Amino acid sequence: MLGERFAEPQNAPFFDRMFRTLDALVEHLGPTPGPTPPAGARLRRWLAAPGAAPPGATDDSVAAGVCVHLLQLCDLQPQLTALDEVAAVLGHSIGLQAAIVAGLRPKRTDDFLALAETSLRLVALSLVRAHQVTAGPPGPADTWGPPHATDPPHATDPARAERGEPGVRPAPMAVVSGLSRDDLAALVECYRRESRRPVSVSLVNTPTTGVLSGRTDDLLHFRAHHEPVFRDGAVRWTFLANTVPFHSPHLAPAAEQVRRERDFVGALPPAAALRIPVYAADAPRTLPPGADLVDEFLDQVLVRPVDWATASLHAVADAGITTVLDCGPGPGARRFTRECLGAGARALRFTSIRR
């Protein structure tokens, strides 16, 4: 889909500016271990020729996240998105930053491109720093927790842990469906106390669908440790494709590192400049006028858990809201919202970024 946008002639100024932004980021990072954003020239080649990207080029969360945000920004260009009838904006996870850009609603092309450049630097740099923090060596035992001598033999056996999900490789995030949010939270809390492994509930997408974040080996251990819970298929476990444990305390050091690099990122307008209310996803609230929009992104996307069930209910309960711009990413947020609200909810129109 990003390749389709790149092929549209009217988007050439946007992509030229974003490619230069990626080049500046690569230069800022210097020699960096682990995944980094593709340089502008490389991404241009990938988009210009279908199949030019090597296998696995966007398998990591850095490259994938950059491409997702580029698509969001491209579709938010003033000439493509009519926001006059939108009463509020909502975004799931990385969709928050697209929601912030939409809420600021710059109408001039040059103003939009300047905002998009800052937004891309913030997102891409955050993804790199998040990957660096979690790819490093394990911390002290009381932080990461090595396997205990008393663990059952199957607890660190990936084959046992992955049973029932062929083709899905272990990762630092996993969906657990079929447990209530309270039951999942209790299971995680008990596990943390007993194992000293910092697995956390990172997203509550629906009343019976949650996402766990942690080190991959800790999630494998959690899955194997609770094998009886998943045995009959009523409760399901699926690893996500992420290579970073978003929405977890593990990424607090990454957020602090990006704050130290704010001179490179640049400044976002103050939250008081939002022309359309933006709903947070971590609590039933809109972003307040005094909020720092860079901090909101870093805290909500890297560190704080998403409570989509509560946030979506709050949006629908707000009688002044009739039309919400759904900034995604993808159709998941809308599907989660329908499941959270049920059949008796007040009618609310959701419109997508690109119509």
Side-chain angles (χ1 to χ4, degrees), residues 17 108-115:
R17 183 78 169 261
R108 290 169 50 92
T109 298
D110 54 350
D111 292 337
F112 173 81
L113 289 176
L115 174 61

Side-chain angles (χ1 to χ4, degrees), residues 327-339:
C327 289
R334 197 172 305 186
R335 178 170 56 83
F336 297 149
T337 302
R338 283 198 298 266
E339 196 171 331

Side-chain angles (χ1 to χ4, degrees), residues 25 29 32-37 61-63 66 122-135 244 254 258 261 302:
L25 175 60
L29 291 171
T32 302
T36 57
S61 289
V62 177
V66 166
L122 172 62
V123 169
L125 182 62
S126 299
L127 294 171
V128 171
R129 298 311 183 202
H131 217 290
Q132 290 173 340
V133 163
T134 55
V244 169
V258 175
E261 296 176 89
L302 298 189

